Amino acid sequence: SLVIVVGAPCPLQALTRSQAVAYFTGRLRTLPGGEPAQPLDLPLDHPARERFYKLLTGLGLAQMNSYWSRLAFSGQMQPPQVVAGEAELVRLLRASPRALGYLPRPPDDERLRTLLVVKPEA
């Protein structure tokens, strides 16, 4: 399983699976206070990225890339910001109360909060 995490100052206190899908597919773009959400993505070659989208949406990387290409081309929205790796993801989560991302394991950092454990649907 993987975890969706935010920095401690993020206004999100809980996250349902459907809300997580909406944030990481661009259908939900604001946080509870109205601020724009900033979803973050691990690099394409990171092993957790494909697993995350497969578990969360049921779609593989090629399908997600096609989805985002269509939306970006039409000018509707941009995909989540891709970071260099887990260390940068953690740094950005700590720095921005608007950021949310995913990691292959729960963080051992008190400045981060786990909102949702993403595992196969029963």
Side-chain angles (χ1 to χ4, degrees):
S1 56
L2 295 112
V3 293
I4 296 178
V5 294
V6 294
C10 181
L12 277 173
Q13 297 300 313
L15 193 65
T16 66
R17 186 181 191 89
S18 61
Q19 287 172 321
V21 170
Y23 275 118
F24 283 94
T25 58
R27 287 185 229 129
L28 186 54
R29 299 184 214 178
T30 58
L31 297 171
E35 290 280 324
Q38 182 187 13
L40 303 173
D41 232 340
L42 289 170
L44 265 176
D45 61 349
H46 194 289
R49 183 167 171 166
E50 182 157 20
R51 204 166 82 242
F52 174 73
Y53 283 105
K54 198 70 160 163
L55 286 172
L56 189 65
T57 67
L59 301 176
L61 278 184
Q63 291 167 302
M64 285 305 298
N65 290 340
S66 174
Y67 170 82
W68 282 113
S69 292
R70 281 192 314 275
L71 290 176
F73 181 74
S74 69
Q76 293 180 31
M77 62 185 87
Q78 294 299 311
Q81 176 186 337
V82 178
V83 299
E86 290 180 39
E88 184 184 6
L89 181 93
V90 166
R91 184 183 63 73
L92 290 171
L93 288 171
R94 281 192 218 128
S96 174
R98 299 182 307 114
L100 60 154
Y102 57 92
L103 291 167
R105 69 197 102 25
D108 58 353
D109 184 331
E110 69 281 349
R111 294 169 289 180
L112 299 178
R113 280 186 288 122
T114 297
L115 291 183
L116 182 70
V117 177
V118 181
K119 39 188 162 182
E121 289 190 275

